[in-house]
Amino acid sequence: LVVEGSSERVSLPNDSADLVVTDPPYHDDVQYGQLSLPLRAWAGLPTSDLDAEAVATVGGEAAYGSYQALLTRIFAEARRALKPSGHLIFSYANREPDAWVALFNALHGAGFRAAGFNIAHSENETDHAKRSVRACTLDLILDLVPAGANVETWRPTRLPESQEESFLQLVGHVMMENVGGSDTRWAGEFREKARLHPFIAARHKSTIQ
């Protein structure tokens, strides 16, 4: 059964889903409304601007705040539909530390706790339009459960083979230690570590030159 609608309100009863698998908006990396324009025109659908698109189109605190608030509502709806033993699994990639902070705050605020993470190669490595540009070539796979669920946590044990993988391991460990935890002061320290990480610092240096 395919249902079209808003992810802020899904047509599932409370505590009914074993698994939610999603591909959330990557903050400002992918403008889904613009990308869908050719398909909407081909299908004879309206081509006007989409409402409530979960992306940040302008920089600054307002953009991050709106993005986080919308993701919180979306994840809270997923939490409502999940069984107490259910899992939320999705991939994410971004070079901006603030995008990760917004994501983790949204997950925490929606009532999730981190269960595990892994790192996977993304399709960007084989996309000629995205190679050697800003697009990430790896994705972080996140596994979350409702807060209070008793599950064995897991994380990768292999050593990183690239600066990007090292950065994503840093991000994953921050998620494991803070999403669903009691410490609310982690964001500032994470931003500092992330911006000094070679994967982020090297890109920032090449951009300003």
Side-chain angles (χ1 to χ4, degrees):
L1 176 64
V2 178
V3 179
E4 180 182 352
S6 171
S7 54
E8 292 184 71
R9 186 61 185 170
V10 298
S11 54
L12 289 173
N14 295 349
D15 304 330
S16 62
D18 293 296
L19 177 67
V20 172
V21 180
T22 182
D23 184 19
Y26 291 163
H27 190 251
D28 59 348
D29 280 357
V30 182
Q31 303 299 323
Y32 292 90
Q34 295 177 13
L35 291 174
S36 69
L37 272 174
L39 294 176
R40 285 188 280 149
W42 173 81
L45 298 173
T47 56
S48 55
D49 292 341
L50 298 178
D51 294 328
E53 186 182 10
V55 296
T57 55
V58 294
E61 293 183 6
Y64 285 102
S66 299
Y67 176 69
Q68 178 179 316
L70 183 51
L71 284 188
T72 302
R73 296 195 297 272
I74 291 170
F75 289 137
E77 179 66 357
R79 169 67 185 87
R80 178 197 65 78
L82 270 179
K83 295 178 180 179
S85 59
H87 286 253
L88 166 67
I89 296 178
F90 62 94
S91 65
Y92 197 85
N94 204 288
R95 294 179 181 273
E96 294 297 330
D98 283 333
W100 291 102
V101 170
L103 174 68
F104 293 160
N105 280 337
L107 289 166
H108 184 89
F112 282 98
R113 65 172 286 236
F117 74 92
N118 212 333
I119 298 167
H121 292 269
S122 73
E123 73 277 6
N124 290 345
E125 291 178 307
T126 57
D127 188 335
H128 73 278
K130 295 180 179 179
R131 283 189 303 228
S132 302
V133 293
R134 190 173 184 268
C136 300
T137 60
L138 298 174
D139 282 345
L140 190 70
I141 310 299
L142 301 89
D143 178 14
L144 298 109
V145 295
N150 184 21
V151 295
E152 183 177 350
T153 60
W154 59 279
R155 60 183 80 191
T157 57
R158 58 174 277 172
L159 294 175
E161 297 180 351
S162 67
Q163 290 182 349
E164 184 175 5
E165 187 173 1
S166 172
F167 172 71
L168 288 180
Q169 283 202 10
L170 166 65
V171 172
H173 291 309
V174 167
M175 178 193 75
M176 295 297 295
E177 293 161 7
N178 296 286
V179 175
S182 58
D183 186 1
T184 59
R185 301 167 297 176
W186 60 270
E189 182 179 353
F190 165 69
R191 286 189 182 98
E192 183 177 355
K193 286 184 178 180
R195 287 167 180 160
L196 292 175
H197 192 281
F199 177 65
I200 302 300
R203 174 64 62 170
H204 178 69
K205 182 178 179 180
S206 65
T207 300
I208 61 177
Q209 286 178 346

